[in-house]
Amino acid sequence: MTDHGFNATQLARATQIVRTYEQRAFPGGGSLLDRDPLYTRALLSALINDLEHYAINHDLNFAEVISSGRATSPRHSADDTGPHKVGDEVRLPLHGDRCGTIVGWTNSRSQAETTFLVEVPGIPNIIAAPAAHLAQAPPFPRTETILGTITYADQAEHAYVSLAARLATAKASDRAAVRRDCDKLIEALSSWTGVPAHQLRNELDPKPPPSAPSGRSRDAAAAARDFPYDLTQGIPPTPEPAPSQPTKQPRPRRGPGQAA
């Protein structure tokens, strides 16, 4: 498996997670991701802090969770995880004999046994399984596409997402070839993972971007353009309210000699 294909899949998934977290943490606000490094760093820090609380609440050692995540990088090693490592393709006999790719590992506070985290294309949740519940997966069907030869499941997943996104803008002369490769990738993924083709398409097809909230500017630049004054010239004085007749006479205060 090439590091490029694996990292591209991880980056796409991480980007979606961070943007979803931002929308939940700051609903309706404009996004500064990829434009303000300090903002992005603060957002990631908040996300990691929330994830640590989640791990503690579920009796997980957060330090080991971080270690398993770092093991996905070629710079780090996961040699202490036993016979399996991040990136291995495995079969899950207790989960419908489906096949997937190991994307991490962790240990619970109450158990010393390593639990491997397996991603199965078309399945939205990560499957956790100990080494004893994993088996060797069959080789992924070799699939020729316009993007090159696909030999691993995570490559196929990333290639399908890229080609499916290209369908909307492809020329009529190229659309048939792109659609044909999409069909081949879905067929290969379905036969290897054991996940039905329609479920794979529903999970992997591009999702429309969230619509902007009505009446809210999407970013600071748009908000500045909409503001009716130039703030560099100072804050304009507040206009005095125009005199108007009261619509209701104030109720006279009762004195001690008045009846209630």
Side-chain angles (χ1 to χ4, degrees), residues 127-143:
I127 298 175
H133 294 171
L134 300 178
Q136 184 176 1
F140 187 81
R142 185 183 182 93
T143 308

Side-chain angles (χ1 to χ4, degrees), residues 64-154:
E64 292 179 351
V65 172
I66 293 294
S67 296
S68 70
R70 287 168 61 85
T72 63
S73 170
R75 296 189 298 258
H76 303 286
S77 172
D79 292 338
D80 56 345
T81 61
H84 301 290
K85 62 182 183 299
V86 171
D88 284 354
E89 294 181 335
V90 294
R91 182 167 54 85
L92 298 158
L94 300 184
H95 295 270
D97 238 15
R98 288 174 172 163
C99 294
T101 303
I102 294 178
V103 296
W105 53 270
T106 186
N107 292 329
S108 67
R109 294 180 181 273
S110 57
Q111 296 178 351
E113 186 178 16
T114 300
T115 298
F116 292 92
L117 309 177
V118 182
E119 181 192 56
V120 178
I123 302 296
N125 57 295
I126 300 296
I127 298 175
H133 294 171
L134 300 178
Q136 184 176 1
F140 187 81
R142 185 183 182 93
T143 308
E144 300 291 341
T145 72
I146 58 178
L147 299 180
T149 303
I150 306 299
T151 55
Y152 293 95
D154 58 354

Side-chain angles (χ1 to χ4, degrees), residues 137-176:
F140 187 81
R142 185 183 182 93
T143 308
E144 300 291 341
T145 72
I146 58 178
L147 299 180
T149 303
I150 306 299
T151 55
Y152 293 95
D154 58 354
Q155 285 182 324
E157 185 177 1
H158 177 64
Y160 177 83
V161 171
S162 299
L163 290 174
R166 188 184 299 185
L167 265 178
T169 57
K171 298 178 180 178
S173 56
D174 300 331
R175 198 169 298 137

Side-chain angles (χ1 to χ4, degrees), residues 173-193:
S173 56
D174 300 331
R175 198 169 298 137
V178 174
R179 185 176 290 108
R180 183 168 56 250
D181 281 355
C182 285
D183 292 341
K184 288 195 297 184
L185 288 168
I186 286 293
E187 181 181 353
L189 282 167
S190 181
S191 66
W192 186 80
T193 62

Side-chain angles (χ1 to χ4, degrees), residues 167-252:
L167 265 178
T169 57
K171 298 178 180 178
S173 56
D174 300 331
R175 198 169 298 137
V178 174
R179 185 176 290 108
R180 183 168 56 250
D181 281 355
C182 285
D183 292 341
K184 288 195 297 184
L185 288 168
I186 286 293
E187 181 181 353
L189 282 167
S190 181
S191 66
W192 186 80
T193 62
V195 177
H198 71 274
Q199 184 173 339
L200 282 162
R201 291 186 188 274
N202 290 339
E203 188 66 26
L204 300 181
D205 278 350
K207 306 297 187 297
S211 57
S214 58
R216 298 293 297 271
S217 299
R218 290 303 299 166
D219 52 33
R225 288 194 299 270
D226 292 341
F227 199 77
Y229 302 102
D230 183 1
L231 295 182
T232 62
Q233 305 301 320
I235 299 177
T238 303
E240 295 183 359
S244 60
Q245 295 296 326
T247 58
K248 184 178 181 180
Q249 294 296 328
R251 186 176 179 179

